[in-house]
Amino acid sequence: MTQTDLKPTQAHTTNAPALEVRSLNKTFAPTVVPVKNLNLTVERGEFLTLLGPSGCGKSTVLRMIAGLEHPTKGQVLIDGEDVTRLSPSDRNIAMVFQSYALYPHMTVHDNIASGLKLRRIPKGDIEDRIRDVVDFLGLHELLNRKPGQLSGGQRQRVAVARTLVRRPSVFLLDEPLSNLDALLRENVRAELKQLFESQQAPVVYVTHDQVEAMTLSSKVAVLNEGYLQQLDTPERIYTHPANRFVAGFVGSPQMNFLTLPCDGQSVTLGNRRAPLPTEVRTDAKEITLGIRPEHVRLAREGESPTVEGTVSLVEHLGMHKLYTVQVPGKMPMTVRSLIPLSHTHSDRPIKLVFSGNAIHWFDAETGDRLNQD
Amino acid sequence: MTKDIIVQRERRVGWLLVLPALLLLLGVFAYPIGQAFWQSLFNQNLGTQLTSEFTGLSNYARMTQDGRFWQTMWNTSVFTFFSVFFEFLLGLGVALVLNQSFRGRGIVRTVAILPWALPTALIALAWTWIFNDQYGIVNDILLRLGLIQTGINWLGNPTLAMGAVIFADVWKTTPFISILLLAGLQSISEDLYEAHRIDGASPWQSFRQITLPLLMPQIVIALLFRFAQAFGIFDLIAVMTGGGPGGATETVSLYIYSTVMRYLDFGYGAALVVVTFVLLILVVAIAAFFLNRSRAKARGVN
Ligand SMILES: Nc1ncnc2c1ncn2[C@@H]1O[C@H](COP(=O)(O)OP(=O)(O)O)[C@@H](O)[C@H]1O
Ligand SMILES: [Mg+2]
């Protein structure tokens, strides 16, 4: 039999997702349970971002996929094959570490070649593959330098080159941009997006930065305290947050949350009563209304405002001004609103209108989303 | 060229700051060494003559003919090579184990340093008894195990005596190397090992390609220190064998001590000191060269 197929990572079962984790759990100590019953699938060509606050278990998930950490329960499947018991070296994954983890005593060339040499790829092939990647990322001048002689951005590129050259089944990236300054981060972010769009293998990307998650991903998994909060496209995460946590975590400036008295059919908002959408009807005495500052606008001449109040703080954000408005009443509230730069703030009460179709309703106790759209 | 002015000023401040240390070194090292070199040009033996007499390099000529000098040189080399060799292997092993996290690591670490912390003279006395042919615990154990019929005279046999002092020295100074290497191991980031595993490396490959190169600065320092100490070994051997039997464990330091303190031959003793000193400096200079290179390598510049 003459087999010339050089792609050992071809799926055994053609329909299996490129990466799947099934009811994954990790317990470090009885009180430290960073990952709870996580299920995810990532298809070929997909870019999945694990988004969540610091300490929510993102890195732990990534490390379990890589095999650096053993799950307490659950399975990791790559191309349909259960790799839970395999060591990192047998999984054909590649990872960019937050610290980049470049070998300080090796040149850039040797850093990039390391994974191929260890896998006994013929020398000629190694050089060919390195040349491709180096052309692609423009690393020619750096090949003979050591990591200590590179800038942060250059190190980051070398770390990415080291994963690309491997042609792995799955790319894993753990906060790869967090050590770069703001401007560079924006450039590298755009570059990463292009770069991984041209790759077939799926990417799992960890970040606590919602902008990175929104701009890079085809799918975002929001995690909090070890639980998956929502798995959706970036657009849906933004327009249809599954609960109050996601709504508050994604979007800047943060969404306004107003807890309002409710009688099952309608709520009291300021001095008005407003009917609840039919699908939101609830028995609870209170309900949480969520609205993003960009959907709170100034009332036009003669339009009746949703709320009225006094401006307590004005912050210039460049494109807009962010007003913090104190709304008096039986239950005083604070509402933040994005206002055009042209508006000049006076001491008179400001009249605000909530755009009706941008209102989110959440259960006041559980935080779950109540309205469908 | 503001940069040059800043660099110049830093240099000047640097020199100013090391000046006191330099003066001190001059006083306590350079002066005695210079004095020894001066004295080595004289024939001054308080045992046979009272006035010293300038004889040029005759003491050095005498050294080339001195069988006892070459014998002690050989003994010192054997002792240095074997003790440093085993100390390094064991010390590295211990450091690798102590670098793993396990229960009670703190206690094990403390216990592991103990031999190093104890005074050498006392340790040597203890080992003398351990190797004693009549009452020693080594012979006792071997007898009980039935491995030997009569007690071995460990410190009375030339080869065995050398083995015994090397053994005692290894026991005493392995902790020094392991503590030094442990500090080096702890400075290697865990990320590197993880990245290397993902690259496909086995633990042995990681040891060869990550641990050893990044630990090289500490390895060179440890070897350098141990070489200098072992080459000048005195107290341990003086107590355990006194250089015996029949000069089989006499090292250069012991010979110099006898020459000066017993035979009162100051001129020749000074010449011995100078030669030993030059040899040591040579080796240290070579080692320092490698040290700088491996440092630069591990730091990722050069
Ligand atoms: N090796 C470990 N031993 C004990 N606790 C750990 C370990 N690694 C991580 N943790 C804990 O697990 C939680 C999740 O950590 P991590 O996955 O690194 O969070 P993230 O990457 O989202 O910031 C944290 O509370 C952290 O302290
Ligand atoms: Mg993390």
Side-chain angles (χ1 to χ4, degrees), chain A residues 63 67-68 88-89 93-95 97 99 101-106 114-115 118-119 146 148-149 162 166, chain B residues 189 191-202 205 209-210 213-214 296-302:
Chain A
R63 293 168 56 78
L68 296 171
S89 45
I93 36 109
M95 181 159 165
F97 289 74
S99 64
L102 299 178
Y103 312 125
H105 55 298
M106 295 185 198
S114 164
L118 287 164
R119 278 158 209 273
K146 298 261 178 84
Q149 299 163 306
R162 193 168 68 176
R166 287 265 319 279
Chain B
S189 157
D191 280 0
L192 297 183
Y193 292 108
E194 291 181 344
H196 210 225
R197 272 173 82 194
I198 290 179
D199 267 351
S202 64
Q205 283 170 322
Q209 296 171 19
I210 305 287
L214 291 180
K297 250 192 191 155
R299 224 188 300 120
V301 289
N302 175 32

Side-chain angles (χ1 to χ4, degrees), chain A residues 57-71:
Chain A
K58 308 176 298 284
S59 297
T60 309
V61 173
L62 208 64
R63 293 168 56 78
M64 284 193 283
I65 297 173
L68 296 171
E69 212 81 70
H70 200 77

Side-chain angles (χ1 to χ4, degrees), chain B residues 208-236:
Chain B
R208 291 277 312 277
Q209 296 171 19
I210 305 287
T211 312
L212 274 188
L214 291 180
L215 195 59
M216 208 37 90
Q218 283 80 14
I219 291 178
V220 177
I221 285 207
L223 290 182
L224 186 57
F225 264 81
R226 281 305 305 140
F227 170 81
Q229 284 177 330
F231 202 79
I233 185 79
F234 181 81
D235 42 5
L236 183 81

Side-chain angles (χ1 to χ4, degrees), chain B residues 36-43 53-65 267-268 270-272 274-275:
Chain B
F37 179 70
W38 183 243
Q39 200 159 33
S40 73
L41 303 177
F42 289 83
N43 191 355
E53 167 191 356
F54 185 85
T55 53
L57 296 174
S58 76
N59 279 326
Y60 294 95
R62 176 176 156 199
M63 213 177 292
T64 58
Q65 307 297 321
Y268 190 53
L272 288 172
V274 168
V275 166

